[in-house]
Coordinates of all heavy atoms in Angstrom, one line a residue:
S1 N 0.8 -1.2 0.0 CA 0.1 -0.1 0.0 C 0.8 1.3 0.0 O 1.9 1.3 0.7 CB -1.0 0.0 1.3 OG -1.7 -1.2 1.2
P2 N 0.4 2.3 -0.8 CA 1.2 3.6 -0.9 C 1.3 4.3 0.4 O 0.4 4.1 1.3 CB 0.6 4.2 -2.0 CG -0.8 3.7 -2.0 CD -0.7 2.4 -1.6
A3 N 2.3 5.1 0.5 CA 2.5 5.9 1.8 C 1.3 6.8 2.0 O 0.9 7.0 3.3 CB 3.8 6.8 1.6
Q4 N 0.6 7.3 1.1 CA -0.6 8.2 1.5 C -1.6 7.4 2.0 O -2.5 8.0 2.8 CB -1.0 8.9 0.1 CG -1.8 8.0 -1.0 CD -0.8 7.7 -2.1 OE1 0.5 7.6 -1.9 NE2 -1.2 7.5 -3.3
T5 N -1.7 6.0 1.8 CA -2.8 5.3 2.4 C -2.4 5.1 3.9 O -3.2 5.1 4.8 CB -3.0 3.9 1.8 OG1 -3.3 4.1 0.4 CG2 -3.9 3.0 2.4
L6 N -1.2 4.8 4.2 CA -0.8 4.6 5.6 C -1.0 5.9 6.4 O -1.4 5.8 7.5 CB 0.8 4.2 5.6 CG 1.1 2.9 5.0 CD1 2.5 2.5 5.2 CD2 0.2 1.7 5.5
A7 N -0.8 7.1 5.7 CA -1.1 8.3 6.4 C -2.6 8.6 6.6 O -3.1 9.2 7.6 CB -0.6 9.5 5.7
F8 N -3.3 8.0 5.7 CA -4.8 8.1 5.8 C -5.5 7.2 6.9 O -6.5 7.7 7.4 CB -5.4 7.7 4.4 CG -6.8 7.4 4.3 CD1 -7.8 8.4 4.3 CD2 -7.3 6.0 4.4 CE1 -9.2 8.0 4.2 CE2 -8.6 5.6 4.4 CZ -9.6 6.7 4.3
I9 N -4.9 6.2 7.2 CA -5.4 5.2 8.2 C -5.7 5.9 9.5 O -6.8 5.7 10.2 CB -4.5 4.0 8.4 CG1 -4.6 3.2 7.2 CG2 -4.9 3.3 9.6 CD1 -3.6 2.0 7.1
Q10 N -4.8 6.7 10.0 CA -4.9 7.3 11.2 C -6.2 8.1 11.5 O -7.0 7.8 12.3 CB -3.8 8.1 11.8 CG -3.8 8.6 13.2 CD -2.7 9.4 13.6 OE1 -2.6 10.6 13.4 NE2 -1.7 8.7 14.3
P11 N -6.4 9.2 10.7 CA -7.7 9.9 10.9 C -9.0 9.1 10.5 O -9.9 9.3 11.2 CB -7.5 11.2 9.9 CG -6.5 10.7 8.9 CD -5.5 9.7 9.6
A12 N -8.8 8.2 9.5 CA -9.9 7.4 9.2 C -10.5 6.6 10.4 O -11.5 6.4 10.7 CB -9.7 6.6 8.0
A13 N -9.4 5.9 10.9 CA -9.7 5.0 12.1 C -10.2 5.8 13.3 O -11.0 5.3 14.0 CB -8.5 4.2 12.4
R14 N -9.6 6.9 13.4 CA -10.1 7.8 14.6 C -11.5 8.2 14.4 O -12.3 8.2 15.4 CB -9.1 8.9 14.7 CG -7.8 8.6 15.4 CD -6.9 9.9 15.5 NE -5.6 9.5 16.1 CZ -4.6 10.4 16.3 NH1 -4.9 11.7 16.2 NH2 -3.5 10.0 16.9
A15 N -11.9 8.6 13.2 CA -13.2 9.0 13.1 C -14.3 7.8 13.4 O -15.2 8.0 14.0 CB -13.5 9.4 11.5
W16 N -13.8 6.6 12.9 CA -14.7 5.5 13.2 C -14.6 5.1 14.7 O -15.6 4.7 15.4 CB -14.3 4.3 12.4 CG -15.1 3.1 12.5 CD1 -14.9 1.9 13.2 CD2 -16.4 3.0 12.0 NE1 -15.9 1.1 13.0 CE2 -16.9 1.7 12.2 CE3 -17.2 3.9 11.2 CZ2 -18.2 1.3 11.8 CZ3 -18.4 3.4 10.8 CH2 -19.0 2.1 11.1
G17 N -13.5 5.2 15.3 CA -13.3 4.9 16.8 C -14.0 5.8 17.6 O -14.6 5.3 18.7
Y18 N -13.9 7.1 17.4 CA -14.7 8.0 18.3 C -16.2 7.7 18.2 O -16.8 7.7 19.2 CB -14.4 9.5 17.8 CG -13.0 10.0 18.1 CD1 -12.3 10.6 17.0 CD2 -12.4 9.7 19.4 CE1 -11.0 11.1 17.4 CE2 -11.1 10.2 19.5 CZ -10.4 10.9 18.6 OH -9.2 11.4 18.8
A19 N -16.7 7.5 17.0 CA -18.1 7.2 16.8 C -18.5 5.9 17.5 O -19.5 5.8 18.1 CB -18.5 7.1 15.3
G20 N -17.6 4.9 17.4 CA -17.8 3.5 18.0 C -17.8 3.7 19.5 O -18.7 3.0 20.1
L21 N -17.0 4.5 20.2 CA -17.1 4.7 21.6 C -18.3 5.4 21.9 O -18.9 5.0 23.1 CB -15.8 5.5 22.1 CG -14.6 4.6 22.1 CD1 -13.3 5.5 22.5 CD2 -14.7 3.4 23.0
L22 N -18.8 6.3 21.2 CA -20.1 7.0 21.6 C -21.2 5.9 21.5 O -22.1 5.9 22.5 CB -20.4 8.1 20.6 CG -19.6 9.4 20.8 CD1 -19.8 10.4 19.6 CD2 -20.2 10.1 22.1
R23 N -21.1 5.1 20.6 CA -22.2 4.0 20.4 C -22.1 3.0 21.5 O -23.1 2.6 21.9 CB -22.0 3.3 19.0 CG -22.2 4.2 17.8 CD -21.9 3.5 16.6 NE -22.8 2.3 16.3 CZ -22.6 1.5 15.5 NH1 -21.5 1.4 14.7 NH2 -23.4 0.4 15.2
A24 N -20.9 2.7 22.0 CA -20.7 1.8 23.0 C -20.9 2.3 24.4 O -21.0 1.5 25.4 CB -19.3 1.2 23.0
A25 N -21.0 3.7 24.6 CA -21.1 4.3 25.9 C -22.2 3.7 26.8 O -21.9 3.4 28.0 CB -21.3 5.7 25.7
P26 N -23.4 3.4 26.2 CA -24.5 2.8 27.2 C -24.1 1.4 27.7 O -24.4 1.1 28.8 CB -25.7 2.7 26.2 CG -25.4 3.8 25.2 CD -24.0 3.8 25.0
V27 N -23.3 0.7 26.8 CA -22.9 -0.6 27.3 C -21.9 -0.5 28.4 O -21.8 -1.2 29.5 CB -22.2 -1.4 26.1 CG1 -21.7 -2.8 26.6 CG2 -23.4 -1.6 25.1
W28 N -20.9 0.5 28.2 CA -19.8 0.7 29.2 C -20.5 1.1 30.5 O -20.2 0.7 31.7 CB -18.9 1.7 28.8 CG -17.9 1.3 27.8 CD1 -18.2 0.3 26.7 CD2 -16.5 1.6 27.6 NE1 -17.0 0.0 26.0 CE2 -16.0 0.9 26.6 CE3 -15.7 2.5 28.3 CZ2 -14.7 1.0 26.2 CZ3 -14.4 2.5 27.9 CH2 -13.9 1.8 26.8
Q29 N -21.5 2.0 30.4 CA -22.2 2.5 31.6 C -22.9 1.5 32.4 O -23.0 1.4 33.6 CB -23.2 3.6 31.2 CG -22.5 5.0 30.7 CD -23.4 5.9 30.1 OE1 -24.6 5.7 30.0 NE2 -22.9 7.1 29.7
A30 N -23.5 0.6 31.6 CA -24.2 -0.6 32.3 C -23.2 -1.5 33.0 O -23.7 -2.2 34.0 CB -24.9 -1.5 31.2
K31 N -22.0 -1.5 32.7 CA -20.9 -2.1 33.4 C -20.4 -1.3 34.5 O -19.4 -1.8 35.1 CB -19.9 -2.7 32.4 CG -20.3 -3.6 31.4 CD -19.2 -4.0 30.4 CE -19.6 -5.0 29.4 NZ -18.5 -5.3 28.5
G32 N -20.8 -0.2 34.7 CA -20.3 0.7 35.7 C -19.1 1.5 35.4 O -18.3 1.9 36.3
R33 N -18.9 1.7 34.0 CA -17.6 2.3 33.6 C -18.1 3.4 32.7 O -19.0 3.4 31.9 CB -16.8 1.3 32.8 CG -15.5 2.0 32.4 CD -14.7 1.0 31.6 NE -13.4 1.5 31.1 CZ -12.5 0.9 30.3 NH1 -12.8 -0.3 29.9 NH2 -11.4 1.5 30.0
S34 N -17.3 4.6 32.9 CA -17.5 5.7 31.9 C -16.2 5.8 31.0 O -15.1 5.3 31.3 CB -17.7 7.0 32.7 OG -16.5 7.4 33.3
L35 N -16.5 6.6 29.9 CA -15.3 6.7 29.1 C -14.3 7.7 29.7 O -13.1 7.8 29.2 CB -15.9 7.4 27.7 CG -16.7 6.4 26.9 CD1 -17.2 7.2 25.7 CD2 -15.9 5.3 26.5
G36 N -14.7 8.7 30.5 CA -13.9 9.6 31.2 C -13.7 10.9 30.3 O -13.0 11.8 30.7
V37 N -14.4 11.0 29.3 CA -14.5 12.3 28.4 C -15.8 12.6 28.2 O -16.7 11.8 28.1 CB -13.6 12.1 27.2 CG1 -12.2 11.7 27.5 CG2 -14.3 11.0 26.3

C-alpha cells in the first residue's frame, strides 16, 4: 500500500473509533464504567 494510504489510516480509524465509543457508551455505563471524556 502506498504511503498516502498509511497516512490516511490514522484519521480514518479515529473517526470510526470516536463514533464507535459513543455508540458503546451505554454498554460501558451498564458495566459501571465511563469513558472519562
